[in-house]
Amino acid sequence: MNGFKNILSASVYGINGHLVHVEVDISSGLPHLSIIGLPDATVREARDRVISAIKNSGYQFPTKKIIVNLAPAEIRKEGSAFDLPIAIGILAASGQIKTKSLEEWCFIGELALDGQLRAVRGILPIAMELSAQKIKKLILPFSNLKEAAIVQSIDSIGIHSLKELIQLLEQEFIPLSKEPLHFSPYQEDPLNSLDFADVKGQKFAKRALEITAAGAHNLLLIGPPGSGKTMLSKRIVTILPPLSLEEAIETTKIHSVIGLFSSKKGLMRMRPFRNPHHTISDIALIGGGQNPKPGEISLAHNGVLFLDELPEFERHVLEVLRQPLESREVVIARSKDTITYPANFMLIAAMNPCPCGFLGHPLHECVCTPYQIQKYMAKISGPLLDRIDLFLEVPCLKIEEYEEENTEPSQTICKRVMAAKEQQKKRFQKENIHSNAEMNAKQIKKFCKCTPEAKSLLKNATEKLRFSARAYDRILKVAKTLSDMLNQEEIEATHIAEALQYRSLDRINYLN
């Protein structure tokens, strides 16, 4: 029996969903299944999965000429999510499914050879796109149901197998199994046991991390091995404000595309903390590839990217960070299209002062030559350093600090950070930014009002230390965060003085 069916499906392009029409045409001719419409290798392999799934579900695969077109044809189709709509289209076009409700639903899912449905990536951005297009019904694998339930405006049903779905369609009865959305931005992650109360001493470092969190600034920690750089950095997420509902959906959407969505945890609540190894490639860091995917900096969106042992990263890998640190997005350009990934993250980096790690150490002698130290530091370019707001020297603990008690917990620090963040939220509510670190030149001029003493101090420091224009702006941003932490409108000389402390280390102690 010849026939034609148009089944609605969807896929992911970049980090956004887009609709795909699966057009199935069955006609007389030599038995053959052809899939067209710019499919990738995974989509082309759907041919064998669909044939086996249909037969093993108790239905007949038509011995005719079958053409499956994935429209629009100019957009590349990736992944295994088209298995289910292709199978439904073939069964409907051949007359084995008799129902009038096919046009009302969007079908997504990967088929196993026995007809069972497996989870696919990117359900959240797909569900958001369906909602935007006023499409209210979605059929998908049962294991993806909780992810789709985040978008409350569409009706989702989770299916275990192709046979189960066909039986429901023929009965004209689709039982909606909508999952309620549970989102509490202040709910703690039970797996997170890190706390600043565990950190002994390092009061100056804790202060710098608090400033970093309050203004979403970039930070470089410099110190010998064992001084606590990594320990401090990993705890910064415990003093950051929790994700808002809007931020949580946006962040979860990126992780969904990569396949990192957890049905047990549901919507992300804590800000992401990404810690890639120094052997990472530039594509893995910023995204892209033959089939473009978000990189580590996009997975750190609305959170923290931590680069430990910064000079050990390949220089060309570090250089690709320069543009995203300014624009807070990544643009992947290809011959046929361009994809933009969000990358609004805080950069926290850590490094030793020299190759052996003991330059300036009070107990261990440094064995590095001046040339080795210069070569080690030269791995980090000046333009990249200019994009870092705070530089902090982390010394080794003193003996008396080992037994320190009553250290301040993360919860207490977080309250102060949130108070400063609340001032920035009110200030920038019409500016389309959320933190001091995001201010552009126009916004710095508008919001960073200094006292005469503060202006004079900053001018003199800039002339003596030869700061760049970018470094000048970043000092003002840090100083504004310091004023927010004290609930003061104007930037005073004390704020500028403290901000300057976090810019002097690279110029005076190490890079000269």
Side-chain angles (χ1 to χ4, degrees):
M1 180 178 179
N2 299 343
F4 172 84
K5 276 294 178 180
N6 185 351
I7 305 297
L8 182 63
S9 186
S11 117
V12 176
Y13 184 72
I15 61 166
N16 298 313
H18 69 99
L19 301 183
V20 175
H21 290 273
V22 180
E23 301 171 344
V24 179
D25 180 76
I26 300 179
S27 59
S28 300
L30 294 174
H32 180 68
L33 173 57
S34 176
I35 301 176
I36 60 176
L38 209 60
D40 71 351
T42 305
V43 179
R44 289 193 296 270
E45 290 172 353
R47 173 184 178 277
D48 297 316
R49 292 193 297 269
V50 168
I51 293 174
S52 296
I54 289 177
K55 291 180 178 179
N56 292 327
S57 298
Y59 298 90
Q60 293 183 349
F61 188 83
T63 54
K64 296 200 173 189
K65 180 181 179 181
I66 305 173
I67 298 179
V68 177
N69 180 42
L70 307 178
E74 69 271 10
I75 298 178
R76 186 170 183 81
K77 316 303 186 306
E78 302 174 2
S80 56
F82 300 113
D83 291 5
L84 181 61
I86 290 174
I88 292 296
I90 291 174
L91 291 171
S94 62
Q96 298 182 67
I97 298 178
K98 297 180 180 180
T99 178
K100 297 179 181 179
S101 61
L102 287 178
E103 294 78 10
E104 301 176 5
W105 293 87
C106 176
F107 297 85
I108 294 170
E110 176 185 336
L111 287 171
L113 297 184
D114 62 354
Q116 297 295 309
L117 277 178
R118 291 174 174 158
V120 295
R121 299 179 179 182
I123 289 296
L124 179 55
I126 287 174
M128 294 173 66
E129 177 63 17
L130 292 177
S131 177
Q133 297 294 333
K134 309 299 182 184
I135 297 168
K136 301 297 183 182
K137 298 181 178 182
L138 172 63
I139 291 179
L140 73 168
F142 186 83
S143 51
N144 284 129
L145 185 59
K146 287 188 177 181
E147 186 175 352
I150 293 174
V151 182
Q152 296 282 283
S153 58
I154 64 174
D155 296 327
S156 303
I157 176 171
I159 297 296
H160 295 91
S161 68
L162 177 62
K163 187 174 183 179
E164 176 189 349
L165 173 58
I166 295 171
Q167 290 173 348
L168 291 174
L169 289 172
E170 289 179 340
Q171 295 170 9
E172 298 287 346
F173 171 70
I174 303 292
L176 298 179
S177 48
K178 183 180 283 285
E179 292 272 341
L181 174 63
H182 299 292
F183 176 76
S184 174
Y186 297 98
Q187 185 174 353
E188 294 183 0
D189 187 342
L191 298 178
N192 180 39
S193 58
L194 301 177
D195 197 291
F196 267 96
D198 303 328
V199 181
K200 306 298 183 182
Q202 303 294 8
K203 294 182 179 179
F204 193 57
K206 292 178 184 177
R207 167 71 172 174
L209 284 164
E210 183 178 341
I211 297 168
T212 299
H217 300 290
N218 301 321
L219 170 68
L220 175 60
L221 301 171
I222 308 173
S227 58
K229 304 185 295 296
T230 302
M231 185 179 187
L232 286 161
S233 300
K234 288 184 175 180
R235 282 160 174 74
I236 192 169
V237 291
T238 65
I239 63 172
L240 290 173
L243 290 167
S244 65
L245 179 58
E246 180 184 355
E247 289 176 327
I249 291 175
E250 185 180 31
T251 306
T252 306
K253 183 169 73 170
I254 299 171
H255 286 68
S256 171
V257 171
I258 295 295
L260 298 178
F261 178 86
S262 171
S263 59
K264 293 182 180 179
K265 295 183 179 180
L267 202 62
M268 293 182 66
R269 294 167 299 201
M270 291 196 68
R271 295 186 180 272
F273 181 89
R274 304 297 298 182
N275 182 16
H277 192 261
H278 62 258
T279 56
I280 191 172
S281 67
D282 52 354
I283 292 178
L285 184 63
I286 69 164
Q290 185 174 0
N291 296 324
K293 292 290 186 296
E296 286 291 331
I297 64 174
S298 293
L299 292 173
H301 181 62
N302 290 324
V304 177
L305 176 69
F306 176 51
L307 302 182
D308 203 0
E309 304 296 343
L310 188 65
E312 301 302 326
F313 286 78
E314 294 291 339
R315 179 165 179 142
H316 71 275
V317 173
L318 293 178
E319 291 305 296
V320 299
L321 286 173
R322 288 162 53 176
Q323 184 266 336
L325 284 171
E326 289 293 315
S327 64
R328 301 188 182 275
E329 64 180 16
V330 178
V331 179
I332 307 296
R334 293 292 181 266
S335 58
K336 294 183 179 180
D337 51 28
T338 300
I339 300 174
T340 301
Y341 296 124
N344 188 3
F345 61 94
M346 294 167 50
L347 174 64
I348 308 296
M351 60 178 289
N352 296 326
C354 65
C356 77
F358 295 111
L359 178 64
H361 196 284
L363 302 177
H364 294 272
E365 183 180 356
C366 175
V367 297
C368 304
T369 65
Y371 173 74
Q372 288 175 323
I373 297 173
Q374 183 181 14
K375 184 179 179 181
Y376 180 75
M377 297 303 302
K379 293 181 180 180
I380 310 170
S381 68
L384 178 61
L385 288 171
D386 253 357
R387 288 165 169 81
I388 297 176
D389 304 320
L390 297 92
F391 300 88
L392 180 68
E393 185 177 17
V394 184
C396 285
L397 286 177
K398 298 178 181 178
I399 299 296
E400 55 268 24
E401 292 177 323
Y402 290 170
E403 303 297 329
E404 183 181 7
E405 297 181 359
N406 300 322
T407 55
E408 200 171 30
S410 294
Q411 189 176 10
T412 303
I413 303 174
C414 186
K415 289 179 180 179
R416 296 198 298 267
V417 170
M418 290 177 65
K421 282 286 191 181
E422 190 62 30
Q423 294 189 54
Q424 295 168 48
K425 181 179 178 181
K426 294 177 182 178
R427 181 189 307 133
F428 301 133
Q429 58 184 349
K430 296 182 180 179
E431 300 290 332
N432 197 31
I433 61 174
H434 302 91
S435 63
N436 289 333
E438 298 177 64
M439 287 191 290
N440 57 32
K442 184 178 179 180
Q443 292 162 340
I444 291 173
K445 185 176 181 180
K446 180 179 179 181
F447 297 114
C448 296
K449 302 297 183 182
C450 299
T451 63
E453 294 81 5
K455 288 181 180 178
S456 176
L457 177 59
L458 181 56
K459 180 182 177 181
N460 293 335
T462 302
E463 290 176 351
K464 290 182 179 180
L465 298 176
R466 296 171 292 177
F467 289 134
S468 67
R470 183 182 286 114
Y472 180 93
D473 286 346
R474 292 186 180 275
I475 292 169
L476 281 174
K477 292 178 185 180
V478 173
K480 187 59 183 175
T481 298
L482 290 166
S483 70
D484 287 339
M485 293 170 67
L486 295 173
N487 196 21
Q488 297 177 347
E489 286 295 325
E490 278 193 313
I491 296 174
E492 299 182 356
T494 53
H495 306 143
I496 294 293
E498 185 172 357
L500 286 171
Q501 292 182 60
Y502 302 116
R503 292 298 307 187
S504 60
L505 286 176
D506 64 319
R507 303 303 185 194
I508 299 173
N509 294 348
Y510 294 108
L511 298 186
N512 283 336

